[in-house]
Amino acid sequence: MPSIPAPILSKTAIDFIDDDHLEGLLKGSAPQAARIREIIAKSLAKEPLSVEETCDLLLVEDPELVEEIFNGARQLKETVYGNRIVLFAPLYIGNRCVNNCSYCAFRSSNKDAIRRTLTPDEIGQQVEAMEKKGHKRLILVFGEHSDYDAKFIAESVRKVYETRSGHDEIRRVNINAAPLNHDDYVTVKESGIGTYQIFQETYHHETYAQCHPANTRKGNYLYRLDGLSRAMEAGCDDVGIGALFGLYDWRFETLALVQHALHLQQVYGVGPHTISFPRIQAAQGVKIDNKYMVNDDQFKRLVAILRLAVPYTGMILTARENPEVRRELLSFGVSQIDAGSRIELGGYTEVGDAQVMEREQFQLGDMRSLDEVMRELIEDGYLPSFCTACYRSGRTGEHFMEFAIPGFIKRFCTPNGLSTLMEYLMDYASPATRAAGELLIQKEVEQLTDEKLKSQLVERLDLIKNSKARDLYF
Ligand code: SAM
Ligand code: SF4
């Protein structure tokens, strides 16, 4: 049986999280309103905030100023991202795990968990079921185990891309798996992945040690913190960071996420593509300590502050959250959500509508179908998008930053989002979603001011509508 390779750090490995410094900043007093407005203005000028500036936003308690922060985040979201929301879904490939993370149902000490690794045929079946619902973008999720080495991850990715028929195909595969060594990232990258995601879970050293026993693979804080730096050095310049909120003080974790983003930007010239901020959910046999639970108000604040702190980074809100929270937070700067998600191994074909505790990592808050979520997004004025154009045209990493400017959205993102929406409406939508979507497309097209682009797009939308073409992008 293959063993997990010994950890090798990146060339620049450094523990850039100074707990005392961050705690010290958080002991500061609430800043004046003028200072907060200055910081919001800096962010609206699309300049990333420093850790100190982010801390000032976190120290605000005055409800009116908090409202100004929310409004700033809403405005920034509109100017940088427009009304697009990118949709994806997770596919759990295997839940065997050598680690014993205190919060996770897949932890090695959970003997009640049903362990399973999908075979290539089973991956194919899950992907077919997801494609039939209209998915185009997946994230593959793995426990940490010698069975899930780089070769296995790469083969799983290839299997997903190969599983296609007619209009059904997956166009982008992201990964959420354990940190790898340099050469293993190269192997995984070659399979054509999009983003490689690793969540630090908690950046607070002491809490990290409590949640991740020292004798486990994940017990090595620096190896995990350095995980995405190694990815960058191996050529995966599209990476996603995250923290599991509820393990430690939410304000500390928010600062540390910003520190991490700035570190990647400073050392590699590219910030993270995405930030995730999952809140801890009930899971089999997991006792959740209420001390650091993040309530909805705090959650709103942290999302708005992250939006302002890292203007160019995509923000992911998962189906861990319930529909009401998701709906409200969308306006604060979230740019990607999953929908129609199943997190049991084999869940897309085997478990119907129920959640099965023994088979899932944690409980989901939003079990609606992709079609229901699409319809709500459309009715709320969002443009749901399955666009994968940037990644497939090599516009990732630094290019992503360069292009994340208003003109770019109008030129590329909106038309591409509209084309992918039209595909969804024609191939997968319910009649009600289709009707709502067609109205939205018409409205969006009318708003385009570049006449040449408009006529090109109208031509393409007609081709899609008449089933003459698919996968057209600018
Ligand atoms: N095993 C890999 C790892 O730990 O990095 C990746 C897969 S893990 C299944 C994906 C993420 O799920 C973890 O990074 C963690 O943040 C999250 N997670 C684990 N338990 C959770 C829970 N009870 N509630 C919410 N999210 C959880
Ligand atoms: Fe394993 Fe990841 Fe769960 Fe930890 S969070 S027990 S590493 S699957």
mmCIF file of all heavy atoms in Angstrom, residues 32-44 49 53 57:
data_model
loop_
_atom_site.group_PDB
_atom_site.id
_atom_site.type_symbol
_atom_site.label_atom_id
_atom_site.label_comp_id
_atom_site.label_asym_id
_atom_site.label_seq_id
_atom_site.Cartn_x
_atom_site.Cartn_y
_atom_site.Cartn_z
ATOM 1 N N GLN A 32 -12.498 56.003 15.064
ATOM 2 C CA GLN A 32 -13.429 57.080 14.729
ATOM 3 C C GLN A 32 -14.143 56.762 13.407
ATOM 4 O O GLN A 32 -13.580 56.090 12.532
ATOM 5 C CB GLN A 32 -12.639 58.382 14.498
ATOM 6 C CG GLN A 32 -11.815 58.859 15.675
ATOM 7 C CD GLN A 32 -12.697 59.436 16.767
ATOM 8 O OE1 GLN A 32 -13.662 60.123 16.464
ATOM 9 N NE2 GLN A 32 -12.383 59.136 18.014
ATOM 10 N N ALA A 33 -15.323 57.374 13.273
ATOM 11 C CA ALA A 33 -16.107 57.162 12.046
ATOM 12 C C ALA A 33 -15.313 57.586 10.809
ATOM 13 O O ALA A 33 -15.350 56.906 9.763
ATOM 14 C CB ALA A 33 -17.410 57.941 12.126
ATOM 15 N N ALA A 34 -14.552 58.705 10.917
ATOM 16 C CA ALA A 34 -13.824 59.215 9.750
ATOM 17 C C ALA A 34 -12.814 58.178 9.255
ATOM 18 O O ALA A 34 -12.647 57.971 8.048
ATOM 19 C CB ALA A 34 -13.112 60.518 10.109
ATOM 20 N N ARG A 35 -12.152 57.523 10.185
ATOM 21 C CA ARG A 35 -11.153 56.496 9.824
ATOM 22 C C ARG A 35 -11.846 55.323 9.101
ATOM 23 O O ARG A 35 -11.342 54.823 8.091
ATOM 24 C CB ARG A 35 -10.460 56.036 11.119
ATOM 25 C CG ARG A 35 -9.704 54.745 11.033
ATOM 26 C CD ARG A 35 -8.261 54.938 10.624
ATOM 27 N NE ARG A 35 -7.536 53.678 10.596
ATOM 28 C CZ ARG A 35 -6.691 53.334 9.647
ATOM 29 N NH1 ARG A 35 -6.410 54.160 8.668
ATOM 30 N NH2 ARG A 35 -6.067 52.182 9.707
ATOM 31 N N ILE A 36 -12.986 54.919 9.614
ATOM 32 C CA ILE A 36 -13.709 53.799 8.985
ATOM 33 C C ILE A 36 -14.123 54.177 7.563
ATOM 34 O O ILE A 36 -13.982 53.395 6.619
ATOM 35 C CB ILE A 36 -14.948 53.410 9.843
ATOM 36 C CG1 ILE A 36 -14.482 52.883 11.203
ATOM 37 C CG2 ILE A 36 -15.830 52.383 9.143
ATOM 38 C CD1 ILE A 36 -13.513 51.706 11.139
ATOM 39 N N ARG A 37 -14.587 55.428 7.430
ATOM 40 C CA ARG A 37 -15.017 55.861 6.077
ATOM 41 C C ARG A 37 -13.833 55.901 5.104
ATOM 42 O O ARG A 37 -13.969 55.550 3.930
ATOM 43 C CB ARG A 37 -15.713 57.221 6.166
ATOM 44 C CG ARG A 37 -17.076 57.043 6.796
ATOM 45 C CD ARG A 37 -17.859 58.305 6.983
ATOM 46 N NE ARG A 37 -18.998 57.993 7.841
ATOM 47 C CZ ARG A 37 -19.435 58.742 8.836
ATOM 48 N NH1 ARG A 37 -18.860 59.907 9.109
ATOM 49 N NH2 ARG A 37 -20.454 58.360 9.571
ATOM 50 N N GLU A 38 -12.701 56.308 5.631
ATOM 51 C CA GLU A 38 -11.473 56.337 4.807
ATOM 52 C C GLU A 38 -11.123 54.916 4.322
ATOM 53 O O GLU A 38 -10.765 54.702 3.159
ATOM 54 C CB GLU A 38 -10.328 56.765 5.731
ATOM 55 C CG GLU A 38 -9.413 57.846 5.257
ATOM 56 C CD GLU A 38 -8.494 58.215 6.439
ATOM 57 O OE1 GLU A 38 -7.601 57.405 6.772
ATOM 58 O OE2 GLU A 38 -8.714 59.285 7.048
ATOM 59 N N ILE A 39 -11.247 53.970 5.241
ATOM 60 C CA ILE A 39 -10.898 52.579 4.891
ATOM 61 C C ILE A 39 -11.883 52.031 3.858
ATOM 62 O O ILE A 39 -11.489 51.399 2.868
ATOM 63 C CB ILE A 39 -10.875 51.684 6.159
ATOM 64 C CG1 ILE A 39 -9.787 52.174 7.122
ATOM 65 C CG2 ILE A 39 -10.673 50.220 5.803
ATOM 66 C CD1 ILE A 39 -9.814 51.517 8.494
ATOM 67 N N ILE A 40 -13.160 52.333 4.059
ATOM 68 C CA ILE A 40 -14.164 51.851 3.088
ATOM 69 C C ILE A 40 -13.878 52.471 1.717
ATOM 70 O O ILE A 40 -13.933 51.786 0.684
ATOM 71 C CB ILE A 40 -15.603 52.177 3.562
ATOM 72 C CG1 ILE A 40 -15.916 51.429 4.869
ATOM 73 C CG2 ILE A 40 -16.633 51.808 2.488
ATOM 74 C CD1 ILE A 40 -17.252 51.793 5.517
ATOM 75 N N ALA A 41 -13.512 53.761 1.731
ATOM 76 C CA ALA A 41 -13.239 54.444 0.452
ATOM 77 C C ALA A 41 -12.035 53.805 -0.238
ATOM 78 O O ALA A 41 -12.017 53.624 -1.463
ATOM 79 C CB ALA A 41 -12.992 55.930 0.697
ATOM 80 N N LYS A 42 -11.025 53.444 0.532
ATOM 81 C CA LYS A 42 -9.839 52.802 -0.054
ATOM 82 C C LYS A 42 -10.251 51.492 -0.736
ATOM 83 O O LYS A 42 -9.839 51.195 -1.865
ATOM 84 C CB LYS A 42 -8.819 52.514 1.063
ATOM 85 C CG LYS A 42 -7.587 51.801 0.563
ATOM 86 C CD LYS A 42 -6.534 51.634 1.638
ATOM 87 C CE LYS A 42 -5.387 50.785 1.095
ATOM 88 N NZ LYS A 42 -4.417 50.419 2.125
ATOM 89 N N SER A 43 -11.076 50.746 -0.042
ATOM 90 C CA SER A 43 -11.515 49.486 -0.609
ATOM 91 C C SER A 43 -12.361 49.704 -1.866
ATOM 92 O O SER A 43 -12.224 48.970 -2.854
ATOM 93 C CB SER A 43 -12.300 48.737 0.466
ATOM 94 O OG SER A 43 -12.891 47.631 -0.091
ATOM 95 N N LEU A 44 -13.219 50.740 -1.824
ATOM 96 C CA LEU A 44 -14.049 51.012 -3.013
ATOM 97 C C LEU A 44 -13.197 51.456 -4.201
ATOM 98 O O LEU A 44 -13.610 51.328 -5.354
ATOM 99 C CB LEU A 44 -15.119 52.056 -2.696
ATOM 100 C CG LEU A 44 -16.263 51.542 -1.805
ATOM 101 C CD1 LEU A 44 -17.228 52.662 -1.430
ATOM 102 C CD2 LEU A 44 -17.015 50.410 -2.480
ATOM 103 N N LEU A 49 -6.928 45.932 1.571
ATOM 104 C CA LEU A 49 -6.672 46.554 2.879
ATOM 105 C C LEU A 49 -5.537 45.831 3.593
ATOM 106 O O LEU A 49 -5.294 44.643 3.366
ATOM 107 C CB LEU A 49 -7.933 46.489 3.732
ATOM 108 C CG LEU A 49 -9.187 47.158 3.141
ATOM 109 C CD1 LEU A 49 -10.350 47.054 4.130
ATOM 110 C CD2 LEU A 49 -8.916 48.635 2.786
ATOM 111 N N GLU A 53 -5.898 47.815 8.857
ATOM 112 C CA GLU A 53 -7.163 48.441 8.399
ATOM 113 C C GLU A 53 -8.339 47.472 8.566
ATOM 114 O O GLU A 53 -9.431 47.863 8.990
ATOM 115 C CB GLU A 53 -7.023 48.860 6.927
ATOM 116 C CG GLU A 53 -6.119 50.072 6.764
ATOM 117 C CD GLU A 53 -5.590 50.260 5.336
ATOM 118 O OE1 GLU A 53 -5.556 49.292 4.543
ATOM 119 O OE2 GLU A 53 -5.194 51.392 5.028
ATOM 120 N N LEU A 57 -11.930 47.763 10.944
ATOM 121 C CA LEU A 57 -13.322 47.450 10.571
ATOM 122 C C LEU A 57 -13.929 46.433 11.549
ATOM 123 O O LEU A 57 -15.105 46.505 11.903
ATOM 124 C CB LEU A 57 -13.393 46.893 9.148
ATOM 125 C CG LEU A 57 -12.941 47.819 8.011
ATOM 126 C CD1 LEU A 57 -13.123 47.124 6.660
ATOM 127 C CD2 LEU A 57 -13.725 49.134 8.011
#
